Amino acid sequence: MKRISLAIIMALVIGSLFSLPGYAQEAIQTQPSSDGNFEASLIGAKVRREVLTVKIKLKNIASKSNKMECTYKSVYYTDIKNKKKYFALKDSEGKYIAGPQDRGSNGGKVERYIDSGAQTIIWIKFPAPPETSDTIDIIIPGILPFEEIEIKR
Amino acid sequence: MTSTIRMIFLTMLFFGYLNNFVIATSLYPSPDDEKTVMAAEEAVKQLGKDRGAIPIDYKTADIIGLGPIEISGKAIKVEEALKDLHAKMVGTEIQISLSGDVLFNFDKWKIRPEAEKTLHKIAKIIKELKKENVLIEGHTDSKGSDSYNLKLSQKRADSVKVWLLEKGDLNQVKFLTKGYGESRPVESNTKPDGSDNPQGRNKNRRVEIKIEK
């Protein structure tokens, strides 16, 4: 019986780690949402093979459940040094390479209620900025901009 | 032992289900998934050498952003807008003071729809003047604690910044925000006899926008 309990605990721990990727990652920068209900933490901005992956953790800091929504077409980053702006990548079917996404949104957005104190992660793929750019500003509607974010390559 | 393995399997299956529940609706299950990585790399290739970069300038900002900013369907002159907003020229700055009661509901920092026309005017001014640095300051009256007012004023300044960035389509502008709380009143919060001065407090609840000339 003891062995079974141990096995269950191990499975729970391992399962949790794989179920919620990125939850334990450290925040690069944290910004509030403009309605004050959420705290957004940038937990990843890394370039790999010409693709920039941005990961953001959203935590409901209000005392009640609140709706979080992100429309991927409105998300972009600016490379101020080169005066360029980049939008999220789309696949061959015109769907944004980002997640999570709502069914029926045709790959365009996510909308869900987050309980008080609970959190969720969104991620978005962008074309990488040129090698000459070290920092970018990430703009997500409803959240204060993440400014001068150092790119990891 | 077989039952132990079965138990582990069922537990892992359960957490796998949970995981799927979290991201089930995604077309791409995770950023590191092979399908996602390949789709992203292909998408970049398709964009060509410039990777879909869009130059940030005033002309393209109108086309690709939220659309051209129009106030009541007609263009306005900067001078007229500045006059409407009772802007002051102070040293090397253009200063515009906006009433906190117009911008926000009591104790809130979400922009009221009624304030959007004014903010559109300010966005237009910043765009027309082609300014790159704008300072937004938040101020409150003396009701409430110092620390609360400090936070509220910062959040209000931040809200104006977000609005100008998003709805004003001013992503090429560098906005700095600062919340001063109740520390910089423009009028006294109390009358000489020590009683409340609602008119003074009203003037103190404000957001100041400072644009370098």
Side-chain angles (χ1 to χ4, degrees), chain B residues 36 64 91 113 133 141-142 145 151 173 183 188 190:
Chain B
T36 312
I64 61 163
N133 296 302
D141 62 19
S142 60
S145 72
K151 279 182 196 166
V173 177
S183 64
S188 177
T190 52

Side-chain angles (χ1 to χ4, degrees), chain B residues 50 89 136 142 185:
Chain B
D50 69 349
M89 307 297 161
I136 302 170
S142 60

Side-chain angles (χ1 to χ4, degrees), chain A residues 12 19 34 36 49-50 76 83-86 90-91 101 112 123 125 127-129 141-142 144-145 147-148, chain B residues 15 19 22 25 27-28 31 36 39 41 43-44 47 51 53-56 109 158-159 161-162 165-166 171 174:
Chain A
L12 283 172
S19 296
S34 49
R49 283 193 238 156
E50 315 292 309
Y76 60 91
K83 296 199 170 179
K84 296 278 166 67
K85 180 173 178 176
Y86 297 83
K90 285 196 233 177
D91 66 14
Q101 293 176 6
R112 64 181 44 156
W123 58 268
K125 299 269 186 190
L144 235 64
E147 291 179 334
E148 293 179 12
Chain B
F15 273 88
N19 185 32
V22 172
T25 53
L27 295 167
Y28 294 100
T36 312
E41 286 176 9
V44 173
L47 288 172
R51 299 177 195 163
I54 296 161
I56 299 172
W109 55 90
D158 288 341
S159 275
K161 173 181 171 175
V162 171
L165 277 167
E166 291 174 4
N171 55 65
K174 199 84 184 162

Side-chain angles (χ1 to χ4, degrees), chain A:
Chain A
M1 190 63 194
K2 206 181 265 181
R3 199 181 292 167
I4 294 171
S5 305
L6 188 68
I8 292 170
I9 291 166
M10 287 296 287
L12 283 172
V13 171
I14 295 165
S16 301
L17 286 174
F18 284 104
S19 296
L20 305 169
Y23 270 53
Q25 280 177 271
E26 232 174 78
I28 298 164
Q29 196 176 102
T30 298
Q31 295 290 356
S33 62
S34 49
D35 61 9
N37 290 330
F38 290 93
E39 182 184 80
S41 301
L42 180 72
I43 55 171
K46 196 175 176 184
V47 168
R48 190 176 160 228
R49 283 193 238 156
E50 315 292 309
V51 175
L52 167 70
T53 304
V54 169
K55 295 178 191 171
I56 290 147
K57 183 169 74 181
L58 283 166
K59 185 180 181 183
N60 181 357
I61 53 168
S63 55
K64 61 178 179 72
S65 176
N66 279 297
K67 190 163 87 171
M68 170 281 282
E69 56 181 305
C70 181
T71 306
Y72 295 117
K73 76 169 180 184
S74 312
V75 178
Y76 60 91
Y77 76 82
T78 52
D79 168 10
I80 297 290
K81 192 176 171 186
N82 294 302
K83 296 199 170 179
K84 296 278 166 67
K85 180 173 178 176
Y86 297 83
F87 286 89
L89 285 169
K90 285 196 233 177
D91 66 14
S92 55
E93 290 174 21
K95 288 165 182 160
Y96 287 95
I97 306 174
Q101 293 176 6
D102 287 344
R103 280 187 208 281
S105 75
N106 206 19
K109 68 169 186 175
V110 58
E111 204 177 275
R112 64 181 44 156
Y113 279 91
I114 311 287
D115 286 339
S116 172
Q119 52 194 27
T120 193
I121 290 176
I122 58 171
W123 58 268
I124 305 146
K125 299 269 186 190
F126 293 95
E131 296 275 342
T132 51
S133 299
D134 303 323
T135 62
I136 57 167
D137 292 355
I138 301 166
I139 317 292
I140 299 172
I143 297 170
L144 235 64
F146 294 103
E147 291 179 334
E148 293 179 12
I149 300 300
E150 212 168 296
I151 300 291
K152 285 188 179 173
R153 293 180 193 268

Side-chain angles (χ1 to χ4, degrees), chain B residues 31-51:
Chain B
D32 307 316
D33 172 74
E34 197 185 335
K35 181 188 163 194
T36 312
V37 171
M38 283 175 67
E41 286 176 9
E42 184 54 36
V44 173
K45 262 189 218 165
Q46 293 300 322
L47 288 172
K49 200 180 165 189
D50 69 349
R51 299 177 195 163

Side-chain angles (χ1 to χ4, degrees), chain B residues 197-212:
Chain B
N197 181 8
Q199 283 181 333
R201 286 195 294 106
N202 179 299
K203 286 189 176 170
N204 292 333
R205 294 190 295 271
R206 69 202 191 276
V207 169
E208 289 182 0
I209 297 176
K210 297 179 174 177
I211 308 162
E212 277 180 29

